[in-house]
Structure formats: structure tokens, C-alpha cells
Amino acid sequence: MKIAIAGAGIGGLAAAILLRQSGADVTLIDQFEAPAPVGSGLVIQPVGQAVLAACGVADHVLATGNRVHRMLGHDAVSGRRVLDVWYDRAHSQRTGLAVHRNALFSALWDAAQAAGVTLHLGMAVARGEHGWIMGEDGTRLDGFDLIIDALGANSALTPLRSRALPYGALWANVAWPEGTALPTDELRQTYRRASRMLGVLPIGTPPGASGPMAAIFWSLPRSAYADWQAQGLDAWRREAESLWPDFVPFAAKITDPAQLTMAQYSHGTLEVPHGRGIAHIGDAAHRASPQLGQGANMALLDAYALVAALRQHGPERALDVYARSRRWHVRAYQAMSWAFTPQYQSDSRWLPVLRDRVLFPVSMVPPVPAILSRLVCGTLLPAFPKGDPLR
């Protein structure tokens, strides 16, 4: 098959590598002229790690990332735990892999080039239909058996119309400060009701870094970004100190507001993630807040499921098989993201009370901890079809 992949993100690169392993002729299209180190930290869950292993890059990503065993959050006022989820409390066999997005991208990018993927860079995709794809400058590429839309949330090819979420987050990557009491194998978070959330994620040592780094997050309403900028860094640091003193050494690494990027989120899912001669994967097919840490994993799983369907069923049936194989896993995690997000990012005053006084105590009662572990691992529902070697 001759396949065009629009978008050299995590899902697009994984699909390109897996398709080349199957012998397909793959052209990868992206608007950048050359890759640049962008993006914050993220967590690759065990299901996503299995796909990275199938791509042949798991060991390389692990070498630059950091294993995370636990997610722990507490209330800023009382200090009480309000989130405590382990990947594998008993044996520590399963872990999250915290990594800088650029480290993950670099590993997949190098593997795609080594696999012989044809690169067509500097082309911003504007349109695409069965057999052809066109750039904003009028460049047209023809003769493809399939177009894969991996362009993400801003895809010009997807019919998905998502709903903007009221809260986003400021993020930055900073050097891990000396003397901090925070552990290097846990994602730590602090909450003030649901209107403020601070997070620190240890992400290992990305390419080009001189030592370990952390991704830091600061929840903020979309409409409050201009006010945050106007108030200045000193006001931000004072608020950080009042909410979570352990966050202060990380905040001290920020000397310019431009170091913090405002990320905005949306929610939506395509009922059918394909059309005539085109398949949508990742954020082009479904979008959600990052509360469950599944964004990159969903893109990796989409890529794997699509390639597996093409291998087993051929182009005539593959797209329907791909949609069916991903339907319930995607829907379940989208539904849980929709339910959990307002408990951690909203103006509600009663949802945090429910979270802290009811849901957290329940989460400590067996078998709920084991269920939550499967939730964060990405295995609450089967991620791979029956009989698949990664299952």
C-alpha cells in the first residue's frame, strides 16, 4: 500500500514506523521544515509503552525518561491526601514512564527515518480526500491508497467539532532543584478546591539537558491568562508559596513569564473515526483534558490498532475494523475524563468536597485501588484485541 500520514506527532510517527515494518510505502507530511524541541512532560502508561516496544524505541525512551510509581495529591489548606494511586503497589512491575515530549519525539523520529519513511516537510495540510492531499500553498500529492490524519487538535482534515474546556494549565520544563524534598518517582499535585491545581512531574534527563528535569503545571481558567500575565511573576510565586511550599524551588526557576506556556483543552469524540480513504487518529479523532494522562497513549493505541487492522484485513475492511477495535476503550476513557475533570479543574465548590470527603475515602477501600491502578495503566478495558501479541 501507498499511505500518506499527515502530522509527524507521536501517533503519526508510530503509525509510520509500524506501517514500514509491514512493508507499506509511507510518506510523512508535516508543516515544520525541521524538528525543534517543543512540548512539556507527559506520562506514557504501560499500554503505550507496549506500542513503543513494538516500534523498537522503548529502551531508548526509557533511557531519557523516568519511571513513576505513584500519583499523590493533597489539599493545600488541610494537607490531607485527596489522591493516591499506585501503578503496581504490590510488585512495582508496572510503572508510568514520565518523559519530555521532545525525547519521545526524537526516538520515534529517528526510528521513522531509519525505517525508510519518505519525508515531505514544510507543507501545511489544508485538504485531503481519497487518494490525494493538498497543502495550503496548493501543493498536491496524489496516488495514495490511504490518508492517515494525525494532525492533532488543529487538524484541517477532521470533521470533529470539540467543546472548549473552561480550564487550561500553564506549564514549563525546569531543572530539578537541589535540596527539594519531593521524590523523583512520583507525580505530586496540590489542590485548592478545584480552582487551583499545581503539579510536579519528574521527567528524567531529556536530550541536550545537563541533568534531571521536571515538568511543572499550574491550573488556570482560560479567561484568566491575561490577568495572570498582568499580575507578574512575584504575585505568582507568593501564591505558590501560600499553597505549596515544596513548589517554590521549582517556581524559582522561572525568571520570565514567557517560560510558561498556556495550554488549552477541549473535549469531543468522532462517532466514526474514518471516511472514504481516510482514517483519523489521536486528537484528530478524540480530545479530552489530560487528567487521566492518556492523550499520548490513545494516539499510540490508535496507530497500532489501525496498522493491525490493515495487516489482518486489508484496505477494504481495515477502517471499519479499526473503528470497532478502538470504540469502547476510547468511549470509556472519554467518559471518565469528562466526569473527573470538573473535580480538579472547575469553579465548583461542592465537587471538591465530594472528591475529598467521599470519593477519596472510597478509593482506599479494596478493590477500588486495584481498579484505579488499571485505570491509569490504560487497561481498565482491553486496549488490544483478543489474540493480539501485545495484549
Side-chain angles (χ1 to χ4, degrees):
M1 295 183 68
K2 187 176 180 182
I3 298 175
I5 301 176
I10 304 307
L13 287 167
I17 295 165
L18 295 169
L19 285 166
R20 285 297 298 145
Q21 291 175 359
S22 299
D25 179 354
V26 181
T27 298
L28 185 63
I29 304 162
D30 203 284
Q31 64 181 349
F32 61 68
E33 297 284 353
V38 297
S40 184
L42 51 82
V43 181
I44 303 298
Q45 313 298 4
V47 289
Q49 295 172 40
V51 178
L52 293 181
C55 293
V57 301
D59 290 342
H60 184 75
V61 176
L62 177 60
T64 60
N66 183 66
R67 289 202 177 277
V68 175
H69 296 267
R70 185 186 190 191
M71 294 183 290
L72 183 64
H74 69 274
D75 179 75
V77 177
S78 67
R80 293 190 308 266
R81 285 182 305 159
V82 294
L83 175 73
D84 192 353
V85 180
W86 292 76
Y87 281 91
D88 193 340
R89 188 187 296 266
H91 305 293
S92 296
Q93 296 294 320
R94 297 178 302 179
T95 66
L97 176 54
V99 64
H100 190 294
R101 183 177 292 272
N102 183 55
L104 176 58
F105 171 87
S106 296
L108 290 167
W109 177 258
D110 291 345
Q113 289 184 297
V117 173
T118 300
L119 302 175
H120 194 97
L121 305 180
M123 177 176 168
V125 174
R127 294 176 58 196
E129 294 183 14
H130 182 56
W132 61 270
I133 196 164
M134 181 177 289
E136 292 179 354
D137 62 357
T139 301
R140 176 170 169 140
L141 305 177
D142 292 283
F144 298 108
D145 299 302
L146 177 66
I147 306 293
I148 298 177
D149 173 18
L151 287 169
N154 296 317
S155 171
L157 302 182
T158 181
L160 176 59
R161 297 295 176 261
S162 59
R163 175 177 60 86
L165 296 177
Y167 269 71
L170 295 166
W171 62 262
N173 304 307
V174 301
W176 190 267
E178 295 183 6
T180 177
L182 295 186
T184 58
D185 62 349
E186 296 181 4
L187 166 61
R188 287 291 184 94
Q189 294 179 331
T190 294
Y191 318 103
R192 186 188 67 190
R193 296 191 294 272
S195 59
R196 189 69 78 237
M197 177 175 67
L198 299 70
V200 174
L201 174 68
I203 58 174
T205 305
S210 58
M213 298 190 69
I216 61 174
F217 305 88
W218 180 276
S219 180
L220 199 68
R222 295 168 66 102
S223 59
Y225 182 47
D227 290 340
W228 177 85
Q229 289 177 304
Q231 290 170 5
L233 287 179
D234 288 341
W236 174 66
R237 293 194 189 99
R238 287 193 297 270
E239 184 180 1
E241 185 171 12
S242 70
L243 293 174
W244 190 17
D246 284 338
F247 191 80
V248 173
F250 297 89
K253 302 287 184 179
I254 304 298
T255 58
D256 185 335
Q259 290 175 254
L260 287 157
T261 300
M262 181 67 180
Q264 298 181 347
Y265 310 122
S266 59
H267 190 97
T269 307
L270 283 178
E271 187 71 21
V272 180
H274 64 84
R276 183 171 177 262
I278 186 169
H280 308 280
I281 67 173
D283 283 353
H286 39 74
R287 300 167 204 164
S289 82
Q291 290 300 328
L292 298 180
Q294 294 292 331
N297 296 279
M298 288 294 186
L300 290 168
L301 290 170
D302 288 350
Y304 185 86
L306 177 58
V307 175
L310 288 165
R311 286 173 178 168
Q312 297 169 16
H313 301 281
E316 292 78 16
R317 295 184 53 209
L319 298 190
D320 286 335
V321 172
Y322 156 65
R324 289 198 304 272
S325 69
R326 293 292 296 132
R327 180 171 295 132
W328 292 110
H329 192 265
V330 168
R331 287 182 177 178
Y333 276 89
Q334 291 291 89
M336 287 183 284
S337 177
W338 177 85
F340 280 128
T341 294
Q343 298 178 32
Y344 296 92
Q345 286 187 301
S346 73
D347 295 325
S348 173
R349 289 184 173 271
W350 67 269
L351 280 177
V353 175
L354 174 67
R355 176 194 71 197
D356 300 350
R357 301 292 187 177
V358 179
L359 297 181
F360 175 70
V362 170
S363 76
M364 294 290 99
V365 179
V368 180
I371 295 173
L372 291 176
S373 293
R374 292 179 62 192
L375 173 64
V376 298
C377 286
T379 58
L380 189 60
L381 290 178
F384 305 103
K386 188 174 182 180
D388 189 280
L390 294 188
R391 186 174 176 126

